[in-house]
Amino acid sequence: QKEVEQNSGPLSVPEGAIASLNCTYSDRGSQSFFWYRQYSGKSPELIMFIYSNGDKEDGRFTAQLNKASQYVSLLIRDSQPSDSATYLCAVNTFYSGNTPLVFGKGTRLSVIA
Amino acid sequence: GAVVSQHPSRVICKSGTSVKIECRSLDFQATTMFWYRQFPKQSLMLMATSNEGSKATYEQGVEKDKFLINHASLTLSTLTVTSAHPEDSSFYICSASTGRGLKDTEAFFGQGTRLTVV
């Protein structure tokens, strides 16, 4: 059973602070890792993906992957109220688009102005 | 990124009727699409994997006779909720991947369909 675990939150951070979102996964064979943002009533939108151990930065977002610990995280610098949403961690076992992503339950982030 | 279009975005139907939801990949061919259901404040739950030209693969607990999936072309998959009941009211989302290789494994989502059965 492939599982992806996230703290459901809510995680509250003040505007301008760093928000840290964490995710662990059970399948050691997992190859690709994704962070999606979902606003209430909307479908998820991709923020970042990461395949290799280490950090990957894109603007205010940094994804961190540690395959040995089966852990992936997302840091949001200079958090803005517009970042308030549910963040979904997703994992894929294969380098293939023909297998569905396994999603965590999501962490609700609230950025307070 | 790739574009996945889902229609309708919102539908209200009477109990006992059927509703069809369309999912189209607009700028790429998708041999595989996925259908999810999301209840309020819960995560995405995979319902089925839609394969072009063959039968869909349903997740455990999902009734294949109730949720009919057709993937007749490389750009279109449809989900039909048959004999809908109020408990089928949910947010239905499709996704697809270009699936060409390492960098294309991310899933692109349709806009979602809010189904309300009254």
Side-chain angles (χ1 to χ4, degrees):
Chain A
Q1 182 80 8
K2 302 172 185 176
E3 294 183 347
V4 178
E5 299 287 342
Q6 292 181 258
N7 189 320
S8 62
L11 172 66
S12 294
V13 300
E15 183 175 1
I18 296 175
S20 178
L21 305 164
N22 304 314
C23 173
T24 59
Y25 57 94
S26 63
D27 188 349
R28 190 169 287 277
S30 299
Q31 299 286 353
S32 47
F33 308 86
F34 308 87
W35 283 99
Y36 286 84
R37 177 176 60 197
Q38 186 176 25
Y39 293 110
S40 181
K42 303 294 184 182
S43 66
E45 56 179 325
L46 181 68
I47 297 177
M48 291 193 70
F49 58 86
I50 186 168
Y51 304 123
S52 304
N53 275 327
D55 294 0
K56 179 182 178 183
E57 186 174 319
D58 183 0
R60 295 188 296 113
F61 300 97
T62 299
Q64 300 174 316
L65 175 62
N66 184 325
K67 288 188 177 181
S69 301
Q70 297 176 231
Y71 174 90
V72 59
S73 66
L74 179 70
L75 300 178
I76 306 174
R77 290 182 298 281
D78 189 23
S79 295
Q80 302 297 308
S82 59
D83 294 327
S84 298
T86 297
Y87 289 79
L88 301 170
C89 173
V91 172
N92 199 353
T93 305
F94 300 103
Y95 290 129
S96 166
N98 294 330
T99 54
L101 299 181
V102 179
F103 284 88
K105 293 186 176 181
T107 298
R108 191 155 50 93
L109 173 65
S110 178
V111 180
I112 306 192
Chain B
V3 179
V4 176
S5 177
Q6 187 174 341
H7 178 80
S9 60
R10 189 178 295 269
V11 60
I12 301 173
C13 71
K14 291 184 178 180
S15 185
T17 61
S18 296
V19 173
K20 179 185 285 188
I21 303 170
E22 292 187 350
C23 180
R24 294 180 184 273
S25 56
L26 297 187
D27 53 0
F28 67 100
Q29 293 183 331
T31 56
T32 304
M33 292 185 177
F34 306 102
W35 287 96
Y36 295 85
R37 179 169 52 185
Q38 187 177 37
F39 292 105
K41 297 185 178 180
Q42 295 191 19
S43 187
L44 298 169
M45 291 177 53
L46 179 66
M47 298 177 66
T49 300
S50 173
N51 304 298
E52 187 268 335
S54 64
K55 292 182 179 180
T57 304
Y58 290 82
E59 295 300 300
Q60 190 174 9
V62 178
E63 300 174 57
K64 60 180 67 176
D65 294 331
K66 181 171 183 60
F67 299 99
L68 301 179
I69 291 174
N70 184 281
H71 195 154
S73 77
L74 285 170
T75 59
L76 174 64
S77 175
T78 60
L79 168 68
T80 301
V81 183
T82 63
S83 187
H85 289 97
E87 57 265 31
D88 297 325
S89 299
S90 187
F91 191 48
Y92 292 85
I93 312 173
C94 70
S95 77
S97 169
T98 56
R100 291 190 296 269
L102 177 60
K103 295 187 184 301
D104 296 314
T105 60
E106 62 264 37
F108 297 97
F109 286 89
Q111 301 93 321
T113 299
R114 174 74 58 191
L115 171 63
T116 303
V117 184
V118 297

